[in-house]
Amino acid sequence: MSSGPLDARSDAAATPVKLRPEILALPSYKQGKAAPGGFKLSSNENPFDPLPGVLEAVDAATRQLHRYPNAGAPEITARLAADWGVEPEEVIVAAGSVALLTHFTQAAAGPGDEVVYSWRSFEAYPWMTVIPSAVQVPVPNTPGHRHDLDAMAAAITDRTRLVIVCSPNNPTSTVVTEDEFETFMAKVPSHVLVILDEAYAEFVTDPAAVNGRELIHRYPNLVVLRTFSKAYGLAGLRIGYGIGPAAILAAARTTIIPLSLTDQAQVAAVASLDRSDELRARVDDITARRDAVYDALVGLGHTDIPRPHGNFVWFPAGERSQEVAETFLRHGIVARAYLPDGVRLTIGEQESVENILSAAEEIAR
């Protein structure tokens, strides 16, 4: 089992300066590839343009580029607090949920402390533990590509400081149920921080799935993370948020790079919240397309694909992952290969579906 998504970096320039070897060994993050003349389905991006009013709000904020952004993010913080029924001190906003994951890891784990997470899961989990010199504790997914919460609970030791649960899980698109999560939390010591990473929560239609909104104030060691990058389509502006106990959030705030959250991102998030009906319609469109694609793939013989709950589908291709990704590419689809485990395919434009299914038919043969 691999503990990280990529091979160790090999392009570090020779230098007489002494650098941390564990940092030099880290793979750099690699974006999903572009798709000239085809469909880029490698980055879990929203295929729709920004919601009405967003571009106008961003344009107005851009006229103030000679000013520093408001680091306190008061307007979006207040809106999120009201939306979630919490106090403003129980909301943290930063430059994307991946940034927040790093902030919480730095706040909770130091040298030798352990961070437990499922694997394969979000590719940032392995490398973000290296920065504070914490110890990675990846726990294999179940054969059904889901979190093994019993094994994750059993992996907690006296050195564990942070556990991450990703639902829907990126890249396998599976969910943790509410019952499973409650059983899991009953086993986690109260001094261990638990992050429920719900970057794709808006796409979940299964009523049995865990929902962070229903867990607020139930657990003093739980923080729920959400993002505006996926369902809201603000990936290019980088803004995400967390909801949790004020004391935990205050510690994470001390690790945030000053002034890293732009005013453009803040006003775009507020404008997006003003358009909840349009947002819901777009999400419903994507989830309906996702379910239709999944049913078609199963009909073509891809019965090993887990039922998807995010805005993406997981092909557990194993050693054939590169071959599968190349087949999609020949059909004008750029997918994301996670070697040697599988291929992730974002649900994008309706026009891409025919290409997806023609590639999938070839793969099935």
Side-chain angles (χ1 to χ4, degrees), residues 144-229:
H145 312 285
R146 303 178 67 239
H147 279 41
D148 188 340
L149 291 181
D150 288 337
M152 291 177 66
I156 296 174
T157 72
D158 291 341
R159 296 296 300 169
T160 304
R161 296 295 180 267
L162 173 63
V163 180
I164 306 171
V165 176
C166 186
S167 181
N169 184 47
N170 178 18
T172 65
S173 211
T174 55
V175 289
V176 170
T177 69
E178 180 181 3
D179 290 343
E180 289 170 338
F181 190 77
E182 290 179 348
T183 300
F184 170 73
M185 289 300 292
K187 300 176 182 178
V188 178
S190 59
H191 68 271
V192 174
L193 174 61
V194 177
I195 297 288
L196 178 58
D197 186 353
E198 292 190 307
Y200 302 92
E202 291 84 359
F203 301 103
V204 176
T205 57
D206 185 348
V210 66
N211 185 340
R213 284 182 175 273
E214 300 172 0
L215 302 175
I216 299 306
H217 296 146
R218 287 184 55 185
Y219 302 102
N221 58 332
L222 174 67
V223 172
V224 177
L225 295 188
R226 296 281 181 96
T227 182
F228 285 95
S229 294

Side-chain angles (χ1 to χ4, degrees), residues 249-284:
L249 269 54
R253 284 192 191 94
T254 66
T255 72
I256 293 177
I257 297 174
L259 306 173
S260 56
L261 179 63
T262 66
D263 282 339
Q264 288 90 338
Q266 296 177 46
V267 298
V270 172
S272 296
L273 291 174
D274 289 338
R275 299 286 185 162
S276 58
D277 289 343
E278 289 101 326
L279 172 73
R280 190 68 257 167
R282 291 180 174 192
V283 170
D284 289 345

Side-chain angles (χ1 to χ4, degrees), residues 6 28-36 39-45 122-123 170 200 230 235 325 329 333-338 343-346:
L6 302 168
S28 57
Y29 178 78
K30 294 184 178 179
Q31 285 185 276
K33 294 180 180 179
F39 297 96
K40 181 188 176 187
L41 305 182
S42 56
S43 293
N44 288 351
E45 295 164 330
F122 183 35
E123 60 191 303
N170 178 18
Y200 302 92
K230 307 304 180 182
L329 188 59
I333 298 291
V334 177
R336 185 73 172 267
Y338 292 85
V343 175
R344 189 191 69 193
L345 191 72
T346 306

